[in-house]
Amino acid sequence: MRKMSGRIRLRRRHFTWKGLVVLTAAALLGAQAISAAADPGDRALADRLANEVSGDGAWQHLTAISGVTMALGGNRLSGSPAYEASAQYLAARLTAAGYQVTRQQFSFPDYDIQAETGSVTAPQARPLHPVIARFSRPTPNGGLNAALSLPTGKDTGCSADDYANSDVRGKIVLVRVGDCFITQKQLVAAEVGAAAMLMNGDTPNPTLNLRYRMVPPTDARIPTATLARGEAEQLIGEVAAGPVQLTLDLRGAEIQTNTFNLIADTPTGRADNMIVVGAHLDSVDTGPGINDNGSVAAVNLETALRLAPYRDQVRNKVRFAWWAAEEKGLAGSQFYVDRLSPEQRKNTALYLNAEMIGSPNFARQVYNGKTANGQGPAGSDQISALINGYFAERNLPTVGLILDGRSDHSPFIDAGIPAGGVNGGADTVKKADWVQMFGGVEGEMLDRCYHQACDNLDNINRTSFDQFGRALAWATGRFAVSTEDINGVR
């Protein structure tokens, strides 16, 4: 799951764009009523799939994806050997099950990272571990050696006033994530004369470091990178005691990457009322992406294989999609939606999306049908109600999550296509009431290995993996038979 296009989340100990909770008892009762009122004939396939699709069944696929990922470089970057091998694994099983499998080729603007190193040279030498922002401007050849400076106003550095009482010309500034886009931060830093910008990642995990990106790339002005909170706070303490000198080597180049979405269609069902079920197959470059988002890629494959024997019961064609380049700005799903004709958009009944369903400190989040401005395509709230109803019938509490811009539902929503799904959580911090609902550890991120090397098989919560997987299978089966709740089509 990608960071929010360079947008910085709100204060970490309260809430983030990743998880805005809005589910009330009344909404839960309403969801339960909608689910219970469904025609038993509409639910038969859904209930069968929810029974047959299991975490144990999907685990074999997740293990296979993990195996090729670790054997071929440790990540599934779009266009990489591990991405190709994972797609081949999926395609072979889908083809054998009778699906019509295609590759949708495309290319997208990418960023080749050539160097991201740093060190403290004074008062005491030690290495730093910066993570360069995608599309950042590079440091000069041979690196940049400069003094470190902090904003004298607000530490997020979102306006020139934050530097009003400090001369940062030619220096490296250290700001905290939050309050504004990182692109704006570096524009402000460049305006006041800074030579480069480092950001304190400010997450509960002091060693976690995330890669951000410049949006748009044309606004990049100075070298920009992130430091883990632990390293950043140590530097802040040293600046308070006296001058600090740093060396940074941050370099990258803009490139075009060729890749593909993998698409598999049921041979039966109405093409003019298609259900699209998607998950991104790619990972970030900093980890193997087994929870993010190998977990959903594996469950969707298991659902497709379990659905195959019931093709005669499929009234609405189901299209399973594994997107490329989600971690590079939703490039794969955006390409898919952009290539839909007006008629094809009209014939897409809905889109089901999921993210990170094996998060170790999970929250059972269901997309609530609303975007950040409170809107959403008609039918999205009904998708939410049906999925909430599935969980409610099993006495599994849920919380709501807005349809933010951080996953592949976003292009569908922008195109007016109803969308919904589930999410186990990434950098949201678990609150006390969520511990009561779901267990886990208060004050820790829902996935402390988010975008890190430790996002491997050991990072998967097998309970949430199974529960979310069955819910996704149920929703797929439900809409494969009827979308009457969404658009009036049976």
Side-chain angles (χ1 to χ4, degrees):
M1 183 172 190
R2 75 184 185 105
K3 294 299 294 177
M4 196 176 207
S5 299
R7 191 175 186 89
I8 306 304
R9 60 188 182 282
L10 305 178
R11 283 296 295 168
R12 62 185 174 89
R13 289 187 174 86
H14 300 289
F15 58 92
T16 76
W17 286 120
K18 185 75 173 186
L20 297 181
V21 182
V22 296
L23 188 66
T24 64
L28 184 58
L29 289 173
Q32 204 166 5
I34 289 175
S35 180
D39 187 318
D42 294 345
R43 293 186 44 152
L45 179 59
D47 291 340
R48 185 174 293 115
L49 286 179
N51 182 58
E52 294 184 4
V53 172
S54 68
D56 288 344
W59 186 257
Q60 63 178 318
H61 308 310
L62 188 57
T63 300
I65 292 171
S66 173
V68 297
T69 301
M70 301 311 296
L72 296 173
N75 63 56
R76 287 187 312 286
L77 281 175
S78 294
S80 70
Y83 183 90
E84 171 67 33
S86 298
Q88 288 182 7
Y89 174 85
L90 295 168
R93 280 144 189 83
L94 291 163
T95 301
Y99 283 86
Q100 300 163 347
V101 181
T102 59
R103 292 187 176 201
Q104 185 182 43
Q105 305 279 350
F106 68 97
S107 63
F108 66 96
D110 205 354
Y111 188 73
D112 179 39
I113 297 167
Q114 301 166 341
E116 49 181 1
T117 61
S119 62
V120 178
T121 57
Q124 186 172 359
R126 71 172 186 279
L128 291 175
H129 304 89
V131 171
I132 189 173
R134 294 181 63 238
F135 301 105
S136 166
R137 298 293 297 169
T139 53
N141 290 336
L144 169 68
N145 187 274
L148 181 65
S149 182
L150 306 177
T152 51
K154 197 168 185 181
D155 64 353
T156 50
C158 289
S159 76
D161 291 343
D162 294 331
Y163 299 98
N165 299 315
S166 176
D167 179 15
V168 300
R169 192 164 301 277
K171 298 178 181 179
I172 300 167
V173 295
L174 174 60
V175 301
R176 180 177 58 81
V177 300
D179 295 341
C180 64
F181 288 100
I182 68 161
T183 311
Q184 178 181 336
K185 293 176 188 289
Q186 61 89 48
L187 284 172
V188 170
E191 177 187 334
V192 298
M197 184 180 79
L198 293 173
M199 294 185 296
N200 172 3
D202 195 29
T203 66
N205 180 352
T207 64
L208 184 143
N209 205 350
L210 299 173
R211 189 180 309 286
Y212 289 80
R213 68 189 185 103
M214 297 294 180
V215 180
T218 52
D219 279 351
R221 297 289 185 273
I222 57 176
T224 299
T226 313
L227 293 175
R229 178 172 62 85
E231 281 194 326
E233 289 180 346
Q234 185 175 356
L235 286 173
I236 292 169
E238 290 172 338
V239 169
V244 175
Q245 197 81 7
L246 304 182
T247 294
L248 296 176
D249 188 5
L250 304 171
R251 286 177 286 116
E254 295 185 34
I255 60 173
Q256 286 284 320
T257 293
N258 298 317
T259 188
F260 59 91
N261 297 320
L262 189 71
I263 295 172
D265 290 347
T266 56
T268 56
R270 295 177 52 173
D272 63 346
N273 197 50
M274 179 180 290
I275 311 306
V276 182
V277 181
H280 70 90
L281 183 58
D282 67 311
S283 76
V284 292
D285 62 321
T286 51
I290 301 307
N291 185 34
D292 185 13
N293 199 26
S295 59
V296 186
V299 158
N300 282 359
L301 174 59
E302 179 68 4
T303 300
L305 298 182
R306 295 288 183 170
L307 176 64
Y310 305 112
R311 66 188 66 186
D312 291 342
Q313 299 178 35
V314 173
R315 297 178 187 168
N316 302 311
K317 184 177 287 291
V318 179
R319 170 166 289 174
F320 291 94
W322 289 265
W323 310 116
E326 188 269 1
E327 300 291 4
K328 300 295 182 71
L330 311 180
S333 54
Q334 188 68 62
F335 181 86
Y336 173 87
V337 172
D338 286 346
R339 294 311 181 274
L340 295 176
S341 68
E343 188 69 15
Q344 288 170 327
R345 290 190 184 193
K346 179 182 176 182
N347 292 342
T348 303
L350 59 90
Y351 175 65
L352 291 176
N353 189 74
E355 282 275 3
M356 304 180 64
I357 60 174
S359 296
N361 199 31
F362 77 96
R364 199 173 295 109
Q365 300 175 111
V366 176
Y367 289 111
N368 64 16
K370 308 297 182 186
T371 59
N373 63 8
Q375 304 298 314
S380 296
D381 52 351
Q382 283 87 353
I383 298 172
S384 173
L386 285 164
I387 295 175
N388 275 312
Y390 166 86
F391 283 121
E393 288 182 346
R394 289 153 181 81
N395 296 315
L396 297 173
T398 59
V399 290
L401 178 66
I402 65 168
L403 288 162
D404 57 22
R406 293 184 62 174
S407 192
D408 291 301
H409 53 257
S410 185
F412 289 86
I413 289 291
D414 291 344
I417 296 170
V422 296
N423 190 317
D427 49 349
T428 300
V429 176
K430 180 163 277 189
K431 304 178 297 183
D433 58 333
W434 283 15
V435 174
Q436 295 296 315
M437 297 172 73
F438 312 118
V441 181
E442 181 183 353
E444 285 195 4
M445 289 168 47
L446 301 182
D447 184 358
R448 70 189 320 272
C449 288
Y450 174 52
H451 285 190
Q452 305 300 296
C454 57
D455 185 14
N456 52 36
L457 286 172
D458 293 336
N459 191 45
I460 298 295
N461 184 312
R462 298 288 292 267
T463 297
S464 69
F465 183 57
D466 180 83
Q467 291 176 353
F468 277 128
R470 292 178 187 275
L472 286 168
W474 185 90
T476 301
R478 175 70 173 75
F479 295 126
V481 173
S482 173
T483 59
E484 187 173 15
D485 309 89
I486 312 303
N487 60 6
V489 179
R490 290 187 61 82

